[in-house]
């Protein structure tokens, strides 16, 4: 996703970017400031040009994050994702008319055939509170931090993640669930080769396959429940004999 955003901003070599490399990360931040964000005057950007001096650049980067009003984020990937989102917003605001034709032709994305995330949440809180209020956003960030939910630039998406965590871990059904004490299935020691081309992807592929199986089982459970409900309606029909007629 980071590389897609870099491509959208016109970054010269998004495919060759190694975020684990400190100099690559520093050079990317400098490029974004020079070309897209332009928070500082040109002469003030020197604090970000000290790429070869790790300590000086780190001090300048921390000041830069504070001047951007970046929220507290745990990893460099999260920080870069936030800065990229900020740069994309600025790019759009520079010339909104450039994107009018795209926005007018493409419908808003829908979730399971229903409303987009923001409209969906706004309907839930309609008449109760403003989901764009600073106090509401701060409350979402605080709650997410307490539940160890990763930061997301869109606070409504983060709120949905918080709701999912609460539903799966803190609901009455989840709290009453007995912990699994048996030996876990050794899915990482199977003889089948999931990803022959890249052994490093073998374990993630096995995990995804198990999650898919779990999802299919849940779907089958919902289908069975639906069938039972329909059968309850059709297998024992009730006849009103008062409406019957004898003869013609």
């Amino acid at each position: 996703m980071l590389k897609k955003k870099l491509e959208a901003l016109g970054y010269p070599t998004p495919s060759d970017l190694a975020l684990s490399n400190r100099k690559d990360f520093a050079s990317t931040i400098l490029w974004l400031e020079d070309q897209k964000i332009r928070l500082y005057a040109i002469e003030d950007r020197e604090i970000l040009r000290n790429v070869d001096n790790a300590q000086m650049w780190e001090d300048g980067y921390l000041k830069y994050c504070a001047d951007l009003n970046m929220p507290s984020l745990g990893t460099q990937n999260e920080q870069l994702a936030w800065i990229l989102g900020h740069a994309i917003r600025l790019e759009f605001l520079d010339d909104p008319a450039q994107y009018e034709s795209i926005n007018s032709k493409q419908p808003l994305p829908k979730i399971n055939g229903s409303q987009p995330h923001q409209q969906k949440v706004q309907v839930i809180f309609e008449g109760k509170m403003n989901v764009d209020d600073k106090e509401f956003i701060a409350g979402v960030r605080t709650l997410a931090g307490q539940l160890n939910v990763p930061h997301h630039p869109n606070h409504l998406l983060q709120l949905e993640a918080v709701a999912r965590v609460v539903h799966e871990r803190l609901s009455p059904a989840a709290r009453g669930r007995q912990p699994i004490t048996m030996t876990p299935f050794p899915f990482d020691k199977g003889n089948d080769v999931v990803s022959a081309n890249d052994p490093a992807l073998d374990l993630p592929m096995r995990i995804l396959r198990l999650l898919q199986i779990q999802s299919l089982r849940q779907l089958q459970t919902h289908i069975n429940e639906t069938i039972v409900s329909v059968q309850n309606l059709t297998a024992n029909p009730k006849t009103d004999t008062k409406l019957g007629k004898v003869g013609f």
Side-chain angles (χ1 to χ4, degrees):
M1 182 58 71
L2 295 179
K3 291 182 179 180
K4 292 290 186 183
K5 291 181 178 180
L6 287 168
E7 289 176 0
L9 290 169
Y11 188 74
T13 56
S15 300
D16 299 333
L17 179 64
L19 295 177
S20 57
N21 184 294
R22 187 193 65 81
K23 286 189 176 182
D24 278 8
F25 179 79
S27 298
T28 304
I29 298 298
L30 177 60
W31 184 89
L32 288 169
E33 168 59 21
D34 275 340
Q35 302 297 324
K36 302 298 176 182
I37 299 177
R38 298 184 288 275
L39 176 68
Y40 292 155
I42 295 177
E43 59 273 14
D44 295 333
R45 298 173 193 169
E46 290 300 321
I47 61 174
L48 297 176
R49 299 190 192 281
N50 298 313
V51 177
D52 294 326
N53 189 320
Q55 187 59 50
M56 289 183 64
W57 185 89
E58 186 67 25
D59 292 341
Y61 174 65
L62 291 176
K63 181 180 183 303
Y64 182 64
C65 292
D67 291 340
L68 283 175
N69 294 321
M70 179 192 295
S72 178
L73 302 174
T75 66
Q76 284 190 345
N77 282 9
E78 291 177 335
Q79 293 169 4
L80 181 58
W82 188 92
I83 294 175
L84 286 172
H86 181 64
I88 289 173
R89 285 192 293 272
L90 294 177
E91 184 81 356
F92 172 80
L93 293 174
D94 280 347
D95 187 11
Q98 179 182 352
Y99 306 96
E100 286 181 355
S101 59
I102 299 175
N103 293 337
S104 62
K105 293 178 181 178
Q106 295 183 354
L108 290 173
K110 295 186 177 182
I111 309 300
N112 296 330
S114 58
Q115 297 165 311
H117 287 282
Q118 187 155 350
Q119 293 182 10
K120 192 175 181 180
V121 175
Q122 284 175 340
V123 169
I124 295 175
F125 292 100
E126 186 175 6
K128 300 176 183 177
M129 62 182 66
N130 180 9
V131 296
D132 294 321
D133 184 73
K134 290 183 179 179
E135 292 185 0
F136 180 86
I137 296 175
V140 171
R141 302 299 190 200
T142 302
L143 184 59
Q146 292 176 346
L147 295 175
N148 294 323
V149 174
H151 175 83
H152 192 281
N154 188 331
H155 65 285
L156 298 181
L157 288 176
Q158 192 174 28
L159 179 60
E160 183 177 352
V162 167
R164 182 170 297 183
V165 170
V166 171
H167 174 72
E168 293 181 354
R169 299 182 184 179
L170 304 178
S171 63
R175 284 184 295 176
R177 189 182 304 141
Q178 294 296 322
I180 299 175
T181 57
M182 297 182 294
T183 303
F185 179 77
F187 64 89
D188 57 331
K189 299 179 181 179
N191 295 324
D192 57 322
V193 179
V194 180
S195 178
N197 296 329
D198 189 350
L201 294 177
D202 183 73
L203 182 59
M205 291 290 288
R206 291 177 187 274
I207 295 174
L208 289 174
R209 187 172 61 178
L210 287 178
L211 291 174
Q212 175 64 9
I213 292 174
Q214 182 187 32
S215 177
L216 291 175
R217 285 176 175 171
Q218 291 176 349
L219 176 61
Q220 184 63 54
T221 299
H222 293 324
I223 292 174
N224 292 341
E225 290 173 350
T226 303
I227 292 174
V228 170
S229 298
V230 173
Q231 287 177 340
N232 289 336
L233 293 174
T234 60
N236 186 25
K238 296 181 179 179
T239 303
D240 188 351
T241 56
K242 296 179 180 178
L243 301 177
K245 293 184 178 180
V246 179
F248 294 96

